[in-house]
Amino acid sequence: MNLIDVTRQFATEEKCLEYIEKMRWPHGVGCIHCGVMNVSKITRETVGANKRGTIYQCLEKGCGKQFSATSGTIFNDTHLPLTKWMMAIAMICEAKKGISAKQVQRHIGVNYRTAWHLCHRIRAAMKDGGLLTGVVEADETYLTPKKPRKGKPYVKKEKRDIVLGMVERGGRLRLVPIADAKMEIIEPMLEKHISPDATLQTDGHPTYAIISQRKWTGRHRVIDHTRSYVNGDIHANTIENAFSLLKRGVYGTFHKVSIKHLGRYCDEFSFRFNRRDEQKQMFDSTLKNIVNEKALPYAKLTASPVSEA
Ligand SMILES: [Zn+2]
């Protein structure tokens, strides 16, 4: 969905609310407290950002509560107009190499902290699941600083952020930050994301040979990078391309991504990659996930411990 469509379709709070309502209740409005469909619609004069123009009243005896299409969603925890939410979602979906919070701040006219928090909450809704199938290329990559900063010591390879990438040929991508490129860490990750029926395609790294003997017996293809990069159908170019896209985003757009948030950036990149020809669906699935997702509070975002992807 391009930005002109977004400004047109989501010009007012009411239009946004209507869209969210249809998305949340495609088969008719149900009470969010007790689940009955016996509800009545109340239209009122909009007062303030968090007062919705359309609300519902549950008519069930013993419930009788009121709610709106955004009740219980993260839209209600912010005072940000829905029109700005929609614009930010569209901008993130549209940006192939990602978009910085600074840029979102300028475009929608909010302060930096709000923009940063908003971007992370949208990013948190861009998450895919399911096992990868068919021919799956797997490899890991090291994220390094753009260039060594003057006076700063060289960053040892094992101290850099590592991302494990897995991609179906002609299909879906999964990027996962890992603490170390050790077999004990890579093996469970491959198992978690790749179907046992898949054919694994990797480089000549011995770790993959050992893992595939156990889990993908007889279905492991190797491209020996010391000899060549492509041997007919045997190559790891798809994952290499995905890595370079991620790096262009991390270095070019965000400049520096804290390891704490790297998982969310990885999810965002995969999510976009997986819907590269479906802008409208990408917008809708992101919005749907936001509606169904629990809020990602600012305090949780800025808390220190890093949980492993
Ligand atoms: Zn109710």
Side-chain angles (χ1 to χ4, degrees):
M1 191 179 307
N2 69 44
L3 297 184
I4 290 175
D5 291 341
V6 175
T7 31
R8 203 172 288 147
Q9 191 167 354
F10 301 109
T12 63
E13 291 296 289
E14 275 312 294
K15 279 184 166 183
C16 299
L17 201 61
E18 234 170 77
Y19 197 84
I20 293 170
E21 182 180 310
K22 279 201 195 105
M23 180 158 276
R24 194 170 185 186
W25 297 296
H27 309 295
V29 180
C31 173
I32 62 161
H33 303 286
C34 69
V36 300
M37 304 290 277
N38 187 16
V39 296
S40 77
K41 187 175 183 169
I42 303 169
T43 315
R44 59 182 183 186
E45 286 291 311
T46 317
V47 199
N50 260 11
K51 277 229 166 170
R52 305 296 180 207
T54 304
I55 55 166
Y56 291 91
Q57 168 86 51
C58 178
L59 300 175
E60 189 69 9
K61 265 192 192 150
C63 179
K65 289 178 179 152
Q66 289 186 339
F67 58 93
S68 78
T70 58
S71 295
T73 73
I74 62 178
F75 293 118
N76 252 28
D77 303 333
T78 77
H79 294 281
L80 207 60
L82 295 172
T83 48
K84 296 197 177 197
W85 268 98
M86 299 299 166
M87 186 56 86
I89 296 168
M91 282 192 289
I92 293 181
C93 287
E94 189 69 30
K96 208 177 163 201
K97 287 180 272 176
I99 185 165
S100 67
K102 199 87 196 145
Q103 230 170 319
V104 171
Q105 172 192 4
R106 280 195 297 267
H107 284 314
I108 67 171
V110 294
N111 68 41
Y112 181 74
R113 188 184 134 130
T114 303
W116 183 84
H117 191 192
L118 177 64
C119 288
H120 271 298
R121 277 179 299 190
I122 294 171
R123 208 164 273 140
M126 300 171 90
K127 206 170 168 55
D128 281 318
L131 290 173
L132 304 176
T133 56
V135 177
V136 179
E137 296 178 21
D139 198 4
E140 74 283 342
T141 193
Y142 292 80
L143 296 180
T144 50
K146 202 176 176 188
K147 54 184 175 191
R149 274 174 296 162
K150 223 177 167 185
K152 293 279 176 192
Y154 172 76
V155 185
K156 277 193 186 160
K157 202 173 184 186
E158 54 273 20
K159 291 271 184 219
R160 294 176 199 163
D161 300 336
I162 311 169
V163 172
L164 177 69
M166 293 153 279
V167 66
E168 296 169 339
R169 282 277 171 81
R172 296 166 300 160
L173 168 71
R174 194 74 41 84
L175 296 168
V176 187
I178 49 175
D180 202 304
K182 279 192 246 166
M183 181 147 59
E184 303 94 273
I185 289 176
I186 290 184
E187 186 165 2
M189 281 298 167
L190 294 182
E191 263 190 292
K192 186 178 168 190
H193 296 286
I194 303 175
S195 160
D197 306 325
T199 297
L200 196 61
Q201 166 72 65
T202 67
D203 60 18
H205 200 293
T207 297
Y208 295 109
I210 299 167
I211 295 172
S212 64
Q213 267 170 19
R214 289 199 280 258
K215 304 283 157 60
W216 287 275
T217 323
R219 276 173 288 108
H220 182 214
R221 307 195 323 203
V222 179
I223 180 77
D224 182 356
H225 282 171
T226 57
R227 289 164 189 268
S228 71
Y229 277 83
V230 182
N231 180 5
D233 202 23
I234 316 268
H235 63 80
N237 289 349
T238 323
I239 196 63
E240 290 304 333
N241 289 340
F243 284 155
S244 63
L245 191 65
L246 176 73
K247 286 177 180 182
R248 282 206 295 274
V250 170
Y251 303 151
T253 308
F254 304 110
H255 305 298
K256 193 172 173 291
V257 169
S258 139
I259 180 76
K260 195 165 71 179
H261 304 302
L262 185 58
R264 239 171 276 120
Y265 286 100
C266 285
D267 285 341
E268 176 198 338
F269 270 82
S270 311
F271 193 85
R272 213 166 22 226
F273 182 95
N274 296 343
R275 290 161 185 78
R276 51 204 178 277
D277 303 318
E278 312 159 9
Q279 282 297 323
K280 176 80 172 73
Q281 282 96 317
M282 197 190 318
F283 181 91
D284 282 349
S285 352
T286 308
L287 186 61
K288 203 173 275 175
N289 288 347
I290 291 175
V291 168
N292 296 324
E293 196 113 351
K294 289 259 167 278
L296 180 60
Y298 191 79
K300 192 181 162 196
L301 254 175
T302 48
S304 53
V306 184
S307 64
E308 221 229 294

